Amino acid sequence: MQRDIGCNVVDHLVSRRNFMAGTAGALGFSSLTAPTVAKELEKKQRRVLQIFLQGGVSQFESWDPKPNTKYGGPTRKISTSVPGMHIAELLPHTAQRMHHLSIVRSINTKVNSHATSRQIMETGRRVGEFPFIGAVASKYLTPENAPLPGYIHISTRGLSKQSSAFLGAKHNELRLEGVKPPTNIDRPKGLTEENAKRRDALRVSLNSRFATRGQQALTEAYNSSYEQAEKLMARKTLFEGNMSDKDLERYGKHHFGRNCIFARDLLENGATCVKVTHHGYDTHAENFNFHLEQLEEFDHTFCMLLDDLYERGMLENTLVMVMSEFGRTPKINVRYGRDHWGSSFALAIGGCGIQPGAVIGATNKLGTEVSDREVDGGHLFHTYFHALGLDSTQDHDIDGRTIPIGDPAMAPIKELLA
Amino acid sequence: MSDQEKKAEAKKDETETKSDKIDPTKIKKVSEFAHDCPLTTCRVESSGHYAFAGAEDSNVYRWDLESGEKVALIGHESWIRHLEISADGKWLFTSGWDGQLGIWEVAGQATPIDRPKVEEAKTDEKAKKEDKKKEEKKPERLLNEPPEDAAATLAPTRMIVAHDGWVRACRMSPDGKTFATCGNDKLIKIWDRESLEVIATYAGHERHVWHVAFHPAGKELVSFDLMGVVKVWDLESGKEVRTIDGGIMQGYDNKFAADMGGAREIQFNSDGELFACSGITNVRNAFAGVQTAVVGLFDYKAGKHLRLLGDKGGDFQGICWGVRFHPEGYIIGSAASRGSSGVIWFWKPDNEKPFHTFKTPGGVRGMDMLADNRRLVTAENDGKLRVYTM
């Protein structure tokens, strides 16, 4: 039995338009040919920047500090650029930019496993194989003629790549291990451009014949990998890490700094969803020293990226989220660590379609449970796509099968939407 | 055994051991003092009358080792990283994660806590249940509030914002006229003990400075940062004069992409030829606490690492927090394991394996030695301050 590993993009343009909410829904499709209009719309292409704090950032040390309480630890809170909103002292630069962001403090996935909680936070589903946020964004927000793959994940070490589920290989993440080109991006030595074109034409011809025998999904997956490779080869310079001294000075010369400069450049050059993973938050020991180190690096670099998106006019069309698979336990263990905790944690979100400066939900005084407006990954998933102008209560159409985009039992957090 | 009997027993032990030769292999607990949350560090004043410990509630506690009276020193806004006592024994210096340095009178007159009279214990079941419900509904104690078993509170004489970020340590100079602090702003500051003014600031570390110590001759200071960079500073010129490689006490966790290292304490031996740093080595999974607890022993003059003093089995997973040179020539280290227990080790300086190992009920996060060189005080992560005698 074969799995559905792709769907015909052209066939689904019409149905895709149907569930794009509002005027932005039709942005960037190939039918828009007038150059000036296309250029303007291209500028307005809705994008996603996902900063994933791998391992589970502590809500007490970031978005929901509880100083002066039993489980608050040594971390104090500081004021932000939004009156009345406080975050942890470990994020002083972000605090001054909270007028661009909002906080959701009432997430409860009810699970403490990295894999399961990550699945809930990325797919909005508790069970089943569903596409990640980036894959859905890739499918519905990426113009046909996009110069880059729709979903690019920059991470310094390997994580699962199975992120597109039934949406097919075209929307799977392209994972880059830092600022370097994917492997085998260069044309083989001895193969001229002319010969490469002829060879590719032969491949397309053979694939077309093969597809007529009912193997369309397979050939499409195969074709899409070639198409992606062509896009990457055409934009090879982007991946060569030629960063200016000024950018490196601002962002930092460490991996995360370079990865965030790279993310900015990819978004600016037409990538739809760029996910940057920052490692080092699974702090079962020395939680406070490690959060101090990791968040210091995150805080400064993330703010440079946020500033650039804002100053370049991209923030209003880019959904920015800073998230983890879960948070960390209120109880501090004997190693000065905090363990896995999916019952009450937080994230920050801003940009496209999001009301800035809001605090959604709350935890109780000790941070041990959600006390107001409980949400889980399903609510957040709907919220992301409503903010991006996509009606996530509609269905995917996979070779005639309909599958709800978001969990039908969940709804967007309306008060978070702009 | 009643409390009185326990005290009498402890007293008897103390009297017996006083007449004996100090023998680390006969170490045993003589008393313990409880708190309702884990302790972070400790210090004992030279007369052995008072012991102090920081706790995870941001307070410092003073215990009268004779009477057991507990006084809450309230003034910091975050946890206490390190404690130091002035050379004259009159002042306690507390280094806080709130960037503040607290200065307190060691024997300061505490203000008794006026508590409502405790009702007599109820006998009938219904009343007992009601009491239990009341207890459960009682709000959690906030920081900067004394716990129920504290008899009194003591306010700081001064609170000084000393560093931008945590103050990780404060150490007195041998002549007692100055002291040094270090912190997360990567700076070392030298302070005048009387005026409490900064008289010099040393910059040069590229990562957080974890600990400092004056050389016994009083002319130089060493500092140890997260990456195991040990700098030697000339106190007269204020210049960095050399660097010693302590990188063996640091590791990069590839999986989690983070650095772990730093000296939790630095101690010189009496003639200043050696210094010992408590910490870790061989980082494997720092985020789960999988690294080896060790004391790094360094030759000061040669400026090189001599050996790592560790567990008999070679791999005690945890962190070594405390270290002391005993006047009889051996080195004492104390550690907290990955689990809930701890250990006190005794090494000869020329042997990396301990000649004696003593297991403690809680993980040891702080250790100090009384002036009698016989008793050790520990701050343990089960909330107990324990006194051991050798």
Side-chain angles (χ1 to χ4, degrees):
Chain A
M1 185 177 167
Q2 287 189 320
R3 289 170 48 217
D4 286 318
I5 54 172
C7 69
N8 188 313
V9 177
V10 178
D11 288 351
H12 293 274
L13 279 179
V14 176
S15 60
R16 204 182 308 158
R17 282 192 187 116
N18 289 342
F19 47 70
M20 296 294 284
T23 54
L27 295 185
F29 290 117
S30 54
S31 58
L32 298 167
T33 51
T36 50
V37 176
K39 194 162 186 176
E40 184 59 25
L41 291 178
E42 191 177 309
K43 197 176 158 190
K44 287 184 178 173
Q45 182 199 343
R46 298 195 170 191
R47 300 175 173 92
V48 178
L49 169 66
Q50 197 181 2
I51 306 288
F52 197 83
L53 306 181
Q54 170 71 27
V57 70
S58 166
Q59 66 281 13
F60 294 97
E61 275 62 62
S62 56
W63 314 115
D64 194 12
K66 301 281 184 186
N68 201 29
T69 65
K70 184 176 180 181
Y71 301 124
T75 307
R76 295 174 298 166
K77 65 180 181 183
I78 52 172
S79 301
T80 69
S81 56
V82 178
M85 180 196 277
H86 295 87
I87 61 173
E89 63 180 329
L90 304 184
L91 298 169
H93 298 287
T94 307
Q96 294 311 308
R97 289 158 179 85
M98 287 309 292
H99 54 282
H100 292 310
L101 300 170
S102 286
I103 299 173
V104 181
R105 284 187 173 147
S106 50
I107 310 169
N108 181 4
T109 61
K110 301 181 177 71
V111 290
N112 296 332
S113 137
H114 286 290
T116 312
S117 203
R118 183 169 70 117
Q119 175 190 305
I120 295 168
M121 291 299 286
E122 282 276 13
T123 70
R125 301 300 221 285
R126 304 193 77 81
V127 291
E129 194 179 338
F130 287 89
F132 278 30
I133 297 159
V136 177
S138 169
K139 181 167 174 65
Y140 298 115
L141 302 178
T142 305
E144 272 311 297
N145 56 354
L148 287 168
Y151 181 18
I152 299 175
H153 180 190
I154 310 166
S155 172
T156 46
R157 68 182 177 89
L159 292 165
S160 166
K161 290 165 72 177
Q162 300 305 313
S163 52
S164 64
F166 47 75
L167 294 184
K170 182 175 181 179
H171 303 294
N172 215 344
E173 67 177 19
L174 170 70
R175 188 165 59 78
L176 303 173
E177 291 188 9
V179 188
K180 56 184 178 186
T183 50
N184 304 320
I185 196 172
D186 292 315
R187 196 167 55 234
K189 280 179 186 171
L191 181 65
T192 64
E193 191 175 347
E194 180 59 28
N195 281 345
K197 277 182 184 169
R198 287 172 58 196
R199 197 170 75 160
D200 199 46
L202 177 62
R203 176 186 63 77
V204 170
S205 165
L206 292 172
N207 276 354
S208 300
R209 283 177 58 193
F210 188 65
T212 59
R213 288 186 239 153
Q215 302 295 326
Q216 196 175 30
L218 280 173
T219 52
E220 189 167 297
Y222 190 60
N223 279 338
S224 74
S225 63
Y226 270 86
E227 286 164 12
Q228 291 210 354
E230 281 166 9
K231 287 177 181 178
L232 295 172
M233 287 167 79
R235 295 275 174 150
K236 191 184 161 196
T237 52
L238 256 180
F239 299 86
E240 289 174 344
N242 298 321
M243 294 165 176
S244 72
D245 289 344
K246 190 181 168 191
D247 275 343
L248 288 169
E249 193 63 37
R250 289 177 62 233
Y251 280 69
K253 293 175 182 169
H254 41 73
H255 287 306
F256 186 59
R258 290 172 190 274
N259 292 350
C260 283
I261 298 170
F262 189 29
R264 179 201 65 190
D265 293 347
L266 289 169
L267 288 167
E268 207 167 32
N269 280 276
T272 300
C273 177
V274 178
K275 175 177 174 180
V276 182
T277 291
H278 192 220
H279 297 278
Y281 293 91
D282 194 13
T283 50
H284 296 280
E286 289 285 305
N287 173 75
F288 307 104
N289 272 313
F290 284 128
H291 272 78
L292 180 74
E293 293 283 329
Q294 301 305 90
L295 286 176
E296 185 177 345
E297 186 172 276
F298 160 80
D299 182 43
H300 179 79
T301 301
F302 169 67
C303 288
M304 295 302 102
L305 180 52
L306 198 61
D307 285 355
D308 281 354
L309 293 180
Y310 176 70
E311 284 162 16
R312 295 174 190 205
M314 294 166 68
L315 188 57
E316 63 183 298
N317 295 309
T318 306
L319 177 69
V320 177
M321 57 186 90
V322 182
M323 62 189 289
S324 280
E325 62 268 54
F326 46 46
R328 306 215 72 82
T329 49
K331 185 172 166 54
I332 298 159
N333 68 28
V334 292
R335 298 179 297 274
Y336 285 128
R338 294 190 191 268
D339 300 307
H340 301 171
W341 186 254
S343 303
S344 50
F345 66 104
L347 61 69
I349 186 169
C352 182
I354 295 293
Q355 178 201 160
V359 176
I360 305 297
T363 49
N364 64 3
K365 196 170 147 190
L366 296 179
T368 53
E369 58 185 32
V370 172
S371 59
D372 178 45
R373 188 57 166 113
E374 181 171 309
V375 299
D376 89 353
H379 300 95
L380 291 163
F381 189 89
H382 279 292
T383 307
Y384 304 145
F385 286 102
H386 273 73
L388 289 162
L390 175 71
D391 183 356
S392 55
T393 63
Q394 296 288 322
D395 295 335
H396 295 292
D397 182 346
I398 308 299
D399 290 340
R401 278 191 302 147
T402 56
I403 302 171
I405 296 176
D407 185 340
M410 304 282 178
I413 306 167
K414 287 196 173 155
E415 62 272 33
L416 185 54
L417 298 170
Chain B
M1 195 184 282
S2 71
D3 283 352
Q4 272 194 335
E5 284 169 334
K6 279 182 191 169
K7 274 186 187 171
E9 186 72 17
K11 191 90 182 167
K12 188 180 156 202
D13 282 343
E14 202 177 307
T15 314
E16 280 175 1
T17 50
K18 268 180 186 168
S19 57
D20 298 337
K21 185 179 178 296
I22 296 171
D23 183 353
T25 64
K26 290 185 178 162
I27 184 171
K28 61 181 177 182
K29 186 188 82 179
V30 288
S31 54
E32 70 179 29
F33 304 88
H35 186 50
D36 63 2
C37 72
L39 303 180
T40 59
T41 185
C42 70
R43 198 83 170 135
V44 63
E45 52 100 15
S46 54
S47 74
H49 189 66
Y50 293 124
F52 296 87
E56 286 187 12
D57 58 9
S58 301
N59 295 335
V60 177
Y61 293 92
R62 183 181 78 184
W63 276 280
D64 182 319
L65 294 180
E66 283 292 319
S67 69
E69 184 196 54
K70 181 178 179 181
V71 172
L73 280 62
I74 299 174
H76 277 282
E77 294 167 9
S78 184
W79 294 2
I80 311 304
R81 181 82 193 180
H82 183 255
L83 303 176
E84 176 73 314
I85 290 176
S86 62
D88 60 11
K90 290 181 180 171
W91 300 96
L92 173 74
F93 290 73
T94 54
S95 304
W97 298 30
D98 54 4
Q100 297 191 88
L101 186 71
I103 298 145
W104 318 69
E105 271 191 89
V106 163
Q109 186 66 44
T111 306
I113 299 169
D114 188 18
R115 296 191 195 282
K117 199 177 169 187
V118 181
E119 287 176 31
E120 278 188 24
K122 299 202 172 108
T123 48
D124 68 284
E125 285 306 307
K126 194 178 169 189
K128 275 184 187 172
K129 275 184 187 168
E130 276 174 12
D131 279 355
K132 198 179 172 190
K133 274 185 188 170
K134 270 188 201 169
E135 189 66 27
E136 283 168 359
K137 280 186 181 172
K138 208 165 63 174
E140 289 285 344
R141 176 170 70 88
L142 291 176
L143 309 187
N144 294 57
E145 282 180 359
E148 285 192 351
D149 60 351
T153 60
L154 182 64
T157 302
R158 278 279 298 270
M159 295 297 292
I160 300 171
V161 177
H163 287 268
D164 183 9
W166 309 351
V167 186
R168 287 189 181 256
C170 169
R171 297 297 297 275
M172 290 293 144
S173 66
D175 64 7
K177 290 179 182 171
T178 58
F179 62 90
T181 59
C182 61
N184 287 354
D185 53 9
K186 302 166 194 162
L187 299 176
I188 296 146
K189 294 183 181 179
I190 310 295
W191 304 70
D192 179 80
R193 163 66 197 86
E194 287 300 319
S195 68
L196 299 177
E197 297 289 333
V198 176
I199 53 177
T201 300
Y202 304 159
H205 280 284
E206 292 178 1
R207 304 295 289 270
H208 299 154
V209 188
W210 279 55
H211 212 82
V212 287
F214 286 90
H215 186 266
K219 296 188 185 309
E220 291 181 331
L221 176 97
V222 294
S223 54
F224 195 124
D225 72 16
L226 171 69
M227 304 304 284
V229 175
V230 184
K231 290 184 182 292
V232 181
W233 306 85
D234 180 273
L235 290 163
E236 195 174 316
S237 67
K239 304 279 184 202
E240 177 190 329
V241 289
R242 60 195 169 110
T243 300
I244 300 170
D245 182 8
I248 195 161
M249 296 184 70
Q250 182 273 341
Y252 182 74
D253 188 314
N254 281 314
K255 190 174 175 193
F256 294 102
D259 296 302
M260 186 179 190
R264 272 67 180 173
E265 269 200 323
I266 304 173
Q267 293 290 332
F268 276 95
N269 68 346
S270 56
D271 61 16
E273 287 183 358
L274 300 172
F275 68 98
C277 305
S278 55
I280 54 103
T281 192
N282 192 17
V283 174
R284 283 149 287 166
N285 181 350
F287 284 68
V290 185
Q291 68 278 316
T292 306
V294 288
V295 163
L297 190 63
F298 293 80
D299 182 323
Y300 183 67
K301 195 173 172 187
K304 65 174 188 182
H305 158 251
L306 290 175
R307 63 190 62 86
L308 293 175
L309 311 178
D311 192 51
K312 199 169 184 179
D315 184 22
F316 182 91
Q317 292 181 6
I319 294 175
C320 189
W321 290 92
V323 63
R324 289 290 182 276
F325 281 93
H326 194 277
E328 292 186 4
Y330 46 88
I331 298 164
I332 309 170
S334 59
S337 74
R338 283 184 67 211
S340 54
S341 63
V343 71
I344 299 174
W345 287 300
F346 300 88
W347 300 279
K348 301 262 172 63
D350 58 356
N351 193 333
E352 61 196 23
K353 304 286 184 198
F355 65 86
H356 187 62
T357 300
F358 178 76
K359 289 183 179 168
T360 57
V364 184
R365 290 173 170 178
M367 178 187 71
D368 200 8
M369 189 162 62
L370 273 74
D372 61 10
N373 298 323
R374 178 182 296 278
R375 284 174 291 168
L376 298 172
V377 171
T378 58
E380 301 187 18
N381 60 17
D382 60 357
K384 302 279 180 13
L385 181 102
R386 293 191 170 91
V387 182
Y388 300 95
T389 190
M390 299 182 279

